[in-house]
Amino acid sequence: MANLLVTGGAGFIGANFVRYWNGKNPSDTITVVDALTYAGNKQSLEGVDAELVVADICDHRAMTALVKDRDIDTIAHFAAETHVDRSIDGPDAFLQTNIIGTHSLLKAAKENWLDGGGKAHRFHHVSTDEVYGSLGPDDQAFSETTAFKPNSPYSASKAASDHLVRAYQQTYGLETTTSNCSNNYGPYQFPEKLIPLFLLNCLHGKPLPIYGDGMNVRDWLHVEDHCRGIDAVITNGRIGETYNIGGGQKLTNMSVIERICGTVDAAFVEDSTLARRYPNAPAAKGKRSDTLKTFVADRKGHDRCYAIDETKARGRLGYQPSRTFEEGLAQTVEWYLQNEGWWQALITRKI
């Protein structure tokens, strides 16, 4: 039985991981620490056997006490500021949470697990493929040995946190692992990200703002597959190692948007009640959702292409994604249609 601390566990990926881990390891004790900023939502943890502690990971004293008092032996570190647009407009919060917050947790782990005489432990750090920068048309997909070339304040802050985790393992012997993932999607995702934003805009008849020419490429990973990958790293990953976790679904933004629109249109055909629930949707009037597409000025420093080489995780951990993008997107759209109360509360509080 493990005593698990999940940082950022009321956020999108963190909450899905808590749900996944609780279902797979019901005898483990799970403590969630989350500052409940705009992206943290305690409703995402409803029905899960986990205790939520509202605190800031930058509060080193509080983190040290939490690890000690709960006898924590495993930390899954998700807590981070993640939205690139927000990092461009206000980078300070990203440096504070992603760098100082990670260092605060590392110090707390070292003081409790190493300085106190030694304790079996694991510190797993969840990071992003954005630390590697942008791929050119002839470049190989990102591997664990790809040089870091972050291009936004967000990715730079995550790269710094990756280096800190490595440094604590190399210098102090803290038992750490790191995973770098591709673009996640699925249930409980805060609706500022592409898939939930465009889905909800389709339902409400709002414009679908497409950056630049819409041909930026991303590798799409369903969040449940990501959770399975993290589990494999925590359970079987080698200390000090990094593992890339991808979905194997390399698509342009335009292709993703078109598939969202098509999935929404099909849902309205299959379920006549949707037209009454969302009367402003083009699909409610017999029109196509893609009529909402609107091109806008490109994001500053917008990375052109990401692609993950997950050979290491497949070969050494037995990881592989379990669904295609089409399957995952259909499940995601269905979840948002069935859980209007969850996202409607976010809209009401003016996200």
Side-chain angles (χ1 to χ4, degrees):
M1 184 176 76
N3 289 333
L4 186 70
L5 176 65
V6 181
T7 73
F12 165 45
I13 305 176
N16 275 281
F17 180 77
V18 171
R19 290 178 170 278
Y20 167 85
W21 193 275
N22 182 227
K24 184 170 182 265
N25 306 285
S27 62
D28 286 359
T29 300
I30 303 175
T31 301
V32 171
V33 60
D34 200 294
L36 294 184
T37 60
Y38 76 94
N41 187 352
K42 61 184 179 181
Q43 280 70 41
S44 299
L45 295 171
E46 286 184 352
V48 181
D49 185 11
E51 182 179 356
L52 172 62
V53 176
V54 180
D56 188 339
I57 61 170
C58 295
D59 186 342
H60 171 61
R61 182 175 297 179
M63 293 303 101
T64 302
L66 188 62
V67 173
K68 179 181 179 180
D69 294 345
R70 305 301 173 94
D71 195 25
I72 299 297
D73 53 47
T74 304
I75 295 176
H77 177 35
F78 295 85
E81 294 283 349
T82 64
H83 193 46
V84 175
D85 285 352
R86 289 179 184 260
S87 83
I88 293 170
D89 295 335
D92 288 5
F94 287 72
L95 274 63
Q96 181 69 18
T97 297
N98 299 353
I99 301 175
I100 303 303
T102 298
H103 191 221
S104 170
L105 286 166
L106 288 166
K107 289 192 296 179
K110 174 181 175 291
E111 290 169 18
N112 278 282
W113 295 340
L114 300 182
D115 298 348
K119 176 184 177 68
H121 65 271
R122 176 64 64 91
F123 185 110
H124 181 71
H125 175 57
V126 181
S127 191
T128 172
D129 60 358
E130 295 194 38
V131 300
Y132 300 121
S134 183
L135 291 170
D138 299 321
D139 291 339
Q140 297 294 314
F142 301 134
S143 74
E144 290 81 0
T145 60
T146 301
F148 282 16
K149 294 182 180 178
N151 291 321
S152 70
Y154 161 60
S155 56
S157 67
K158 289 298 289 184
S161 68
D162 289 14
H163 288 315
L164 281 169
V165 173
R166 173 180 168 80
Y168 265 70
Q169 196 281 317
Q170 292 288 317
T171 302
Y172 304 112
L174 195 69
E175 296 188 358
T176 69
T177 47
T178 296
S179 56
N180 294 79
C181 69
S182 56
N183 276 41
N184 278 227
Y185 70 100
Y188 301 102
Q189 187 168 27
F190 190 75
E192 68 182 355
K193 302 294 181 122
L194 191 152
I195 288 178
L197 173 65
F198 279 50
L199 166 59
L200 299 188
N201 281 10
C202 284
L203 296 179
H204 294 104
K206 296 181 179 180
L208 306 179
I210 303 168
Y211 282 132
D213 62 3
M215 299 308 291
N216 300 73
V217 175
R218 300 292 183 263
D219 175 6
W220 290 91
L221 170 65
H222 191 278
V223 67
E224 184 177 309
D225 285 333
H226 186 195
C227 292
R228 290 175 45 251
I230 293 170
D231 179 13
V233 177
I234 292 175
T235 304
N236 298 311
R238 291 182 59 183
I239 301 303
E241 293 283 322
T242 294
Y243 298 86
N244 283 350
I245 301 174
Q249 306 290 306
K250 187 178 172 183
L251 299 167
T252 65
N253 286 349
M254 186 64 75
S255 177
V256 171
I257 293 164
E258 290 170 350
R259 295 178 193 211
I260 294 169
C261 292
T263 303
V264 170
D265 292 346
F268 273 74
V269 171
E270 295 171 6
D271 184 354
S272 61
T273 67
L274 292 178
R276 294 193 296 273
R277 289 171 58 190
Y278 307 107
N280 294 323
K285 307 166 188 174
K287 299 180 180 179
R288 292 162 54 108
S289 295
D290 62 11
T291 59
L292 297 171
K293 291 191 297 187
T294 304
F295 289 91
V296 299
D298 206 356
R299 168 193 287 164
K300 296 177 181 178
H302 198 178
D303 289 339
R304 189 64 171 175
C305 178
Y306 304 146
I308 283 280
D309 179 353
E310 63 205 29
T311 301
K312 181 177 178 179
R314 285 177 180 265
R316 299 186 186 179
L317 304 177
Y319 164 77
Q320 61 179 355
S322 66
R323 70 205 77 200
T324 65
F325 182 75
E326 288 75 14
E327 293 168 338
L329 179 62
Q331 294 165 3
T332 300
V333 170
E334 178 65 17
W335 186 89
Y336 277 87
L337 291 174
Q338 295 297 323
N339 291 273
E340 181 177 346
W342 180 87
W343 55 261
Q344 194 64 256
L346 298 179
I347 292 176
T348 300
R349 75 185 193 194
K350 298 181 180 180
I351 57 176

